[in-house]
C-alpha cells in the first residue's frame, strides 16, 4: 500500500550521470521526503532505461555486449543515489524480468484487442532520440533540430499501435483534468500538439536491425520500441504490489513530455484498461551561458564533483533553491559558491555556531528555560507563526524555491534577533533582570534554530539531523508537531561546536 507513489524518469544508460539527472532525483526526493514527514506512506521509484539502438551501438564501439555495458552504466546511476541522499524505495532496470514480463503482457493485451497491427513504415528516424519523425518536426529552413542528431530516411515493415483512434479520448481527458500537468502552461502545449492529427505509433524494430530489446510476444522477429518499453516501468515496478498504482506524480524533464509522457503513456494505459497517473510534474533544464547542459553539448557538470567538495546537502540546497520548478535555471560554479557562502555558510552555519558558543559560554552548555518575553521575542515568534504555514503551503504547490526564500528570511531574522538582544552584553551584567533576559534570549535562539532546521529536513536531511543532534534534540514525534514553537530544548545539553558548511578554500590554497 502507498498513499503517495512518485517516480522519476528512468535514466538512459548511454552515458554517465550529469547535473540534470541529479536535479531530477533531488527534486523527486524532496517531494517524497516532504510527504513522508507529513505521515504518508510513500513509494519512490527510480531506475534505468537500458534497451534500444543507442545502447547497442555504443556497446559495439566499446567491444562489449550490450548487457555488460548496461550493467556498468546502470551501476553508476545507482551509486549516485546514496551520494545525493536519495531515499528511493525501489530501483528498476528495464532489463529485469519483472519489467519484461509486464511489457509482454500489455503488448499481448493490446494485440488481442486489435489495437496493434502490422504495416509498413516509411519516413524519418532519429537514432539519438530513438524516435520516428515527421516533416513537421523540421526547422523552418528544412533542417532537423539539433536535439534529433543524425536523421535517416527508412522503409521497413513494423507493428503499429492505434494511437490515432484514442486522440479524441485524450483531448477529452485533458480538458476534464485541466491541472493534470504541472506547470499548467505545459498542459496548454500538449493541447496545442493535439490539434494536429496523431499518427499511429510504430512500436517495434526488426531484430535484423536491433536485437537489444524485448521481443514482441506475438512475433519474435521484432523487438519492442524503446519508448513503449521504458514507459511501462512506472507500472511494472509495482504491478505485483496491490494498492500502489496509480502513481501520484511522474517527475520528468520538459524534453520528454510531448509526445512520450503526455500522449503515448496515457493512451497506452487507457487502451490497456489501467488507471492513469494522477499527474505529471515537468521540470526545466539547467543552462550555462544560455545553453542546455547535456552530454551531447559537451558542457555537462558531474554532480558528484560538487558533492565531493561541498557535501550532498550543499548541492541539494542549491538545486532546489535556485530552480523554479517548471522553468529553466542557470548553473555555474560561481552561482553555486554565492548561494553556498551566503545562505549556508553565513546565514545558517554561522548561526549554529553562534547558538552553541553562547549557550556554552553563558549557560554551561544547557539550554535554559525561557523567562518572560519582550517585543523582540514576540516579533520573532510571530514571524515563525507566519512562515510555517506559508512554507508548508509553498512546498505543497512545488514552489520550493520560494518556500526556502521565506525560511531563510526567518533564519536571517534569528541572526538579527541575536544582534538586537546582544547576549554577550547581558552575560556581563550582574542585574537579575538581565540574567533572566539572557536565559530567554538563549532559549529563543535555540528554539528558532531548531524550528528552522526541522523545516529544512526534506531538502538538507543530513545537516538537519546534525543540527538536531548538537542542540540535544534529535527528531522525535510527528514532523508537523516538531514545527510548533515550544520549550522542547529546555535543559538540553548542546555540543561545543559544529562546522556544518566550511568556507571553501581559495584555489591557490587547495591541496594538489
Amino acid at each position: 500500500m502507498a498513499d503517495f507513489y512518485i517516480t522519476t524518469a528512468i535514466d538512459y544508460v548511454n552515458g554517465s550521470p550529469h547535473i540534470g539527472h541529479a536535479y531530477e532525483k533531488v527534486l523527486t526526493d524532496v517531494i517524497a521526503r516532504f510527504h513522508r514527514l507529513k505521515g504518508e506512506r510513500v513509494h519512490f521509484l527510480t531506475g534505468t532505461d537500458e534497451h534500444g539502438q543507442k545502447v547497442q551501438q555504443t556497446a559495439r564501439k566499446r567491444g562489449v555486449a550490450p548487457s555488460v555495458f548496461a550493467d556498468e552504466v546502470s551501476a553508476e546511476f545507482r551509486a549516485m543515489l546514496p551520494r545525493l541522499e536519495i531515499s528511493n524505495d525501489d530501483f528498476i532496470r528495464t532489463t529485469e524480468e519483472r519489467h519484461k514480463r509486464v511489457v509482454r503482457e500489455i503488448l499481448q493485451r493490446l494485440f488481442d484487442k486489435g489495437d496493434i497491427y502490422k504495416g509498413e513504415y516509411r519516413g524519418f528516424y532519429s537514432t539519438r532520440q530513438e524516435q520516428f519523425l515527421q516533416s513537421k518536426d523540421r526547422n523552418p529552413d528544412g533542417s532537423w533540430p539539433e536535439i534529433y542528431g543524425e536523421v535517416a530516411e527508412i522503409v521497413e515493415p513494423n507493428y503499429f499501435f492505434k494511437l490515432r483512434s484514442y486522440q479524441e479520448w485524450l483531448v477529452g481527458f485533458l480538458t476534464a483534468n485541466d491541472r493534470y500537468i504541472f506547470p499548467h502552461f505545459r498542459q496548454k502545449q500538449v493541447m496545442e500538439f493535439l490539434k494536429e492529427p496523431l499518427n499511429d505509433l510504430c512500436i517495434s524494430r526488426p531484430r535484423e536491425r536491433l536485437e537489444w530489446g524485448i521481443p514482441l510476444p506475438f512475433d519474435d522477429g521484432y523487438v519492442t520500441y524503446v519508448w513503449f518499453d521504458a514507459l511501462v516501468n512506472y507500472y511494472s515496478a509495482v504491478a505485483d504490489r496491490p494498492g500502489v498504482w496509480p502513481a501520484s506524480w511522474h517527475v520528468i524533464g520538459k524534453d520528454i513530455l510531448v509526445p512520450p509522457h503526455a500522449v503515448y503513456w496515457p493512451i497506452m494505459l487507457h487502451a490497456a484498461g489501467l488507471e492513469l497517473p494522477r499527474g505529471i510534474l515537468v521540470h526545466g533544464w539547467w543552462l550555462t551561458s544560455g545553453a542546455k547542459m547535456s552530454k551531447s553539448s559537451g558542457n555537462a557538470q558531474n554532480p558528484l564533483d560538487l558533492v565531493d567538495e561541498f557535501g550532498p546537502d550543499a548541492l541539494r540546497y542549491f538545486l532546489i533553491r535556485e530552480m523554479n520548478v517548471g522553468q529553466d535555471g542557470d548553473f555555474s560554479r560561481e552561482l553555486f559558491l554565492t548561494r553556498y557562502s551566503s545562505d549556508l555558510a553565513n546565514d545558517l552555519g554561522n548561526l549554529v555556531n553562534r547558538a552553541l558558543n553562547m549557550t556554552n559560554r553563558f549557560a554551561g552548555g544547557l539550554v535554559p528555560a525561557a523567562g518572560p518575553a519582550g517585543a523582540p521575542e514576540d516579533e520573532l515568534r510571530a514571524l515563525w507563526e507566519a512562515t510555517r504555514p506559508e512554507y508548508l503551503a509553498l512546498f505543497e504547490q512545488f514552489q520550493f524555491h520560494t518556500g526556502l526564500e521565506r525560511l531563510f528570511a526567518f533564519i536571517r531574522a534569528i541572526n538579527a534577533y541575536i544582534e538586537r538582544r546582544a547576549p554577550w552584553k547581558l552575560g556581563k551584567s550582574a542585574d537579575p533582570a538581565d540574567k533572566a533576559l539572557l536565559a530567554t534570549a538563549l532559549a529563543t535562539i535555540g528554539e528558532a534554530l531548531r524550528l528552522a532546521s526541522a523545516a529544512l529536513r526534506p531538502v538538507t536531511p543530513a545537516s538537519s539531523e546534525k543540527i538536531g543532534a548538537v542542540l540535544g534534540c534529535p527528531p522525535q514525534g510527528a514532523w508537523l508537531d516538531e514545527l510548533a514553537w515550544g520549550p522542547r530544548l529546555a535543559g538540553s545539553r548542546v555540543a561545543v561546536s559544529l562546522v556544518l558548511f566550511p568556507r571553501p578554500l581559495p584555489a591557490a590554497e587547495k591541496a594538489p
Side-chain angles (χ1 to χ4, degrees), residues 414-494:
I414 305 173
N415 281 307
Y417 168 83
I418 293 173
E419 296 300 320
R420 186 174 178 184
R421 272 301 186 210
W424 50 91
K425 292 182 180 179
L426 296 173
K428 296 177 182 178
S429 173
D431 187 334
D434 285 344
K435 295 293 185 185
L437 193 54
L438 175 61
T440 295
L442 294 176
T444 300
I445 294 164
E447 178 61 6
L449 174 57
R450 182 193 70 78
L451 291 165
S453 170
L456 276 170
R457 279 174 63 190
V459 181
T460 58
S463 299
S464 295
E465 184 176 342
K466 289 177 183 177
I467 295 172
V470 298
L471 290 177
C473 188
Q476 49 188 302
W479 181 61
L480 294 178
D481 292 341
E482 282 189 64
L483 300 182
W485 192 293
R488 287 174 184 254
L489 289 181
S492 295
R493 178 166 294 281
V494 304

Side-chain angles (χ1 to χ4, degrees), residues 128 146-147 292-300:
R128 176 181 292 177
E146 189 274 336
I147 191 175
K292 180 191 176 188
M293 300 185 76
S294 67
K295 292 174 292 188
S296 58
S297 61
N299 63 357

Side-chain angles (χ1 to χ4, degrees), residues 10-11 34 39 111 188 216 236 262-263 271-272 280 288 338 353 436 451 491:
I10 53 174
D11 297 314
F34 178 70
F111 183 76
K188 292 181 179 178
L216 297 182
S236 66
V263 179
I280 301 173
T288 181
T338 297
N353 273 305
L451 291 165

Side-chain angles (χ1 to χ4, degrees), residues 284-288 291 293 322-324 327-332 335:
W285 290 340
W286 285 100
L287 308 176
T288 181
M293 300 185 76
E322 206 68 23
M323 178 80 88
N324 178 353
Q327 306 293 330
D328 293 338
D330 290 320
F331 183 93
S332 69
L335 286 171

Side-chain angles (χ1 to χ4, degrees), residues 31 50 108 141 147 165 170-171 226 228 233 242 264 283 330 338 401 417 458 503:
I31 299 169
E50 302 182 19
Q108 190 66 56
D141 64 2
I147 191 175
S165 64
L170 181 58
V171 170
V226 67
F228 195 104
N233 92 89
Y264 301 165
H283 63 77
D330 290 320
T338 297
H401 68 300
Y417 168 83
R503 298 184 187 281

Side-chain angles (χ1 to χ4, degrees), residues 387-401:
T387 300
R388 176 183 180 273
E390 185 178 20
Y391 179 79
L392 294 173
L394 287 165
F395 268 49
E396 289 280 6
Q397 299 158 17
F398 307 130
Q399 298 299 305
F400 304 109
H401 68 300

